[in-house]
Amino acid sequence: MNKIAVMLAASTSFLLTSCGQGDILFADKAVVNLSPVEGNPSAGYMDLHGGRVDVELVGVTSDDVLRMEMHETVEKDGMASMAKLKSIPVPAGKTVKLEPGGKHLMIWGVGEGSKKRGLLTMTLIYSNDDRIEIDAVVKKVGDPATASEE
Ligand SMILES: [Cu+2]
């Protein structure tokens, strides 16, 4: 019963955000991959879609995490490491992907409630003061990959 409700909620948000609304600032395909190691940070990914004007994503917050940072994986001399980002540019009309091996969210202390619900509500804060609330699908290690919405 609960599972069905969650699946419906997740697919509804995909429907709402994937209708190709031209120049509207929004984000979709948000997922949080829980760390397999208790205490280690989890990683968050999503697609950021630009609006009419160039903006920057300047912060991401959630009431149900201890800490969340924007990171970028960078390779130096064949070694991958992560750098903390102050902001992520989101050019008008362009899509910026937060994805494995690139820009991503690093999330500490995802709450038990969100884990159980399978969704983590987070707020994206942009340089033009826009705020967008989005539900990210919370995935445990070993969960099948999210069914693609395309
Ligand atoms: Cu990171």
Side-chain angles (χ1 to χ4, degrees):
M1 190 71 175
N2 265 337
K3 216 167 209 170
I4 291 168
V6 167
M7 283 171 58
L8 283 178
S11 55
T12 305
S13 67
F14 283 132
L15 282 180
L16 288 177
T17 52
S18 62
C19 294
Q21 308 153 359
D23 331 336
I24 295 173
L25 191 64
F26 72 103
D28 61 4
K29 300 181 188 172
V31 295
V32 171
N33 290 338
L34 294 176
S35 168
V37 182
E38 192 70 36
N40 278 12
S42 303
Y45 307 110
M46 67 181 72
D47 286 359
L48 301 169
H49 300 276
R52 283 174 197 275
V53 294
D54 295 350
V55 294
E56 291 182 353
L57 181 67
V58 295
V60 185
T61 65
S62 173
D63 289 342
D64 201 27
V65 305
L66 290 179
R67 188 152 62 100
M68 185 145 51
E69 294 178 355
M70 299 184 288
H71 279 194
E72 182 162 31
T73 302
V74 286
E75 213 169 290
K76 248 184 259 162
D77 308 322
M79 294 278 286
S81 64
M82 293 191 293
K84 204 169 150 180
L85 296 174
K86 282 211 173 79
S87 63
I88 296 173
V90 184
K94 294 266 161 55
T95 297
V96 176
K97 283 182 177 292
L98 306 191
E99 58 190 352
K103 297 183 176 77
H104 58 274
L105 301 176
M106 207 93 263
I107 307 164
W108 286 262
V110 176
E112 291 304 320
S114 296
K115 286 183 190 172
K116 279 210 186 88
R117 200 162 66 106
L119 292 172
L120 175 67
T121 302
M122 49 177 84
T123 303
L124 310 178
I125 304 164
Y126 292 92
S127 53
N128 63 348
D129 289 334
D130 271 12
R131 281 166 185 255
I132 295 175
E133 199 175 271
I134 183 169
D135 280 339
V137 176
V138 176
K139 292 200 284 183
K140 296 190 191 78
V141 183
D143 276 3
T146 313
S148 174
E149 54 281 3
E150 264 111 15

